[in-house]
Amino acid sequence: MKAADGFQLYGYQYSVYQRIVRLTLEEKGIAYETIEVDPFLIPEPDLLRLHPFRKVPILVHGAFRIFETAAICTYLDEVGPGAPLQPPAPQARARMNQIRGILDSYGYWPLVRDVYAQRVFAPAFGREPDEARIAAGLSSARTVLDALEFLVCGTGFLVSTDLSLADLHLAPMLAAFDQAPEGRLLLGAYPRLAQWLDMISIRPSLKSTHIALPTPADRMSGK
Ligand SMILES: N[C@@H](CCC(=O)N[C@@H](CS)C(=O)NCC(=O)O)C(=O)O
């Protein structure tokens, strides 16, 4: 597909949810344009026009507009070229949706907002981490990692022998968690997940969607 096919992604460059959609677009070979919207800027009137809950990402495809990452990625898989990212077997497909549900309902906040955002993201922007949030996040993260470790099917990718939307949903969240020293230490207790993260991290789509955080030198120079 070419840029003219008209996929526009509204989102925030540092968002793990934005990265899930970008991974899906790249794995499917769909060209797209990104429009930067920061949901943490208050007020962000343009965002409210696109998303009643004021979150990112939002996909626009011609006259069709949709938010909620799992729904966006399922749509992209169904309209895009490239290998299917949803397994045909009902049980594997159910596991894929189960893993996406676990991440959205129980995983994102402890792994990303409590541990990664406090330990890694906040200091990169000159802010102090909230240690109590990190401790609480690590405690809740154990339950999430226990559940995921049990579900990794051991055939290479998370739910089958092929890459699926579950792999693309988990990769940005676990990669973020792994950047916090406490996160990496805890992940060491989950050998299947740690091995899966090593394997998925070398995919070209993971490399091309990586956004580096500002360094102290960038901050000094006002970048
Ligand atoms: N359920 C939403 C969650 C999206 C989400 O939480 N995005 C974060 C960025 S990673 C956001 O916009 N946060 C803004 C806020 O919490 O105020 C989805 O699946 O797309």
Side-chain angles (χ1 to χ4, degrees):
M1 286 194 170
K2 304 178 297 297
D5 289 317
F7 287 91
Q8 294 178 311
L9 182 63
Y10 288 78
Y12 177 52
Q13 58 179 327
Y14 299 115
S15 155
V16 294
Y17 278 109
Q18 168 89 344
R19 193 174 182 200
I20 294 167
V21 178
R22 290 190 61 211
L23 284 173
T24 307
L25 286 157
E26 305 221 351
E27 291 287 348
K28 293 295 286 183
I30 300 173
Y32 61 99
E33 178 193 355
T34 54
I35 296 120
E36 186 71 8
V37 187
D38 181 349
F40 299 101
L41 278 184
I42 298 172
E44 180 57 281
D46 283 351
L47 182 56
L48 209 47
R49 187 174 52 77
L50 295 168
H51 196 311
F53 304 101
R54 239 192 38 219
K55 300 209 183 278
V56 294
I58 302 118
L59 180 81
V60 177
H61 181 205
F64 181 62
R65 188 167 78 208
I66 182 165
F67 60 84
E68 286 303 297
T69 299
I72 294 171
C73 295
T74 303
Y75 174 73
L76 289 171
D77 186 41
E78 288 169 5
V79 298
L85 295 171
Q86 299 175 81
Q91 293 188 353
R93 193 177 281 235
R95 287 283 185 235
M96 176 194 80
N97 287 321
Q98 182 185 17
I99 289 171
R100 295 197 293 174
I102 290 170
L103 292 170
D104 290 345
S105 301
Y106 317 113
Y108 168 68
W109 274 87
L111 299 176
V112 178
R113 297 292 286 271
D114 294 334
V115 176
Y116 164 77
Q118 292 300 320
R119 178 62 77 222
V120 181
F121 189 85
F125 288 87
R127 297 194 293 269
E128 287 295 314
D130 179 336
E131 297 293 341
R133 263 186 87 171
I134 294 172
L138 284 167
S139 166
S140 304
R142 286 174 198 277
T143 313
V144 178
L145 298 176
D146 285 348
L148 293 173
E149 179 81 356
F150 178 76
L151 291 174
V152 178
C153 82
T155 57
F157 293 100
L158 283 181
V159 299
S160 76
T161 50
D162 298 314
L163 181 74
S164 82
L165 295 175
D167 297 283
L168 303 181
H169 220 90
L170 179 58
M173 294 196 196
L174 213 54
F177 185 70
D178 185 58
Q179 286 179 52
E182 302 91 331
R184 178 165 297 191
L185 192 65
L186 183 56
L187 203 49
Y190 298 90
R192 289 170 152 210
L193 280 175
Q195 195 183 9
W196 169 87
L197 184 61
D198 285 345
M199 180 276 293
I200 201 90
S201 298
I202 59 176
R203 287 186 82 80
S205 63
L206 266 291
K207 302 225 181 281
S208 62
T209 58
H210 174 74
I211 302 277
L213 291 173
T215 63
D218 291 337
R219 280 211 317 279
M220 299 276 283
S221 66
K223 271 192 203 162

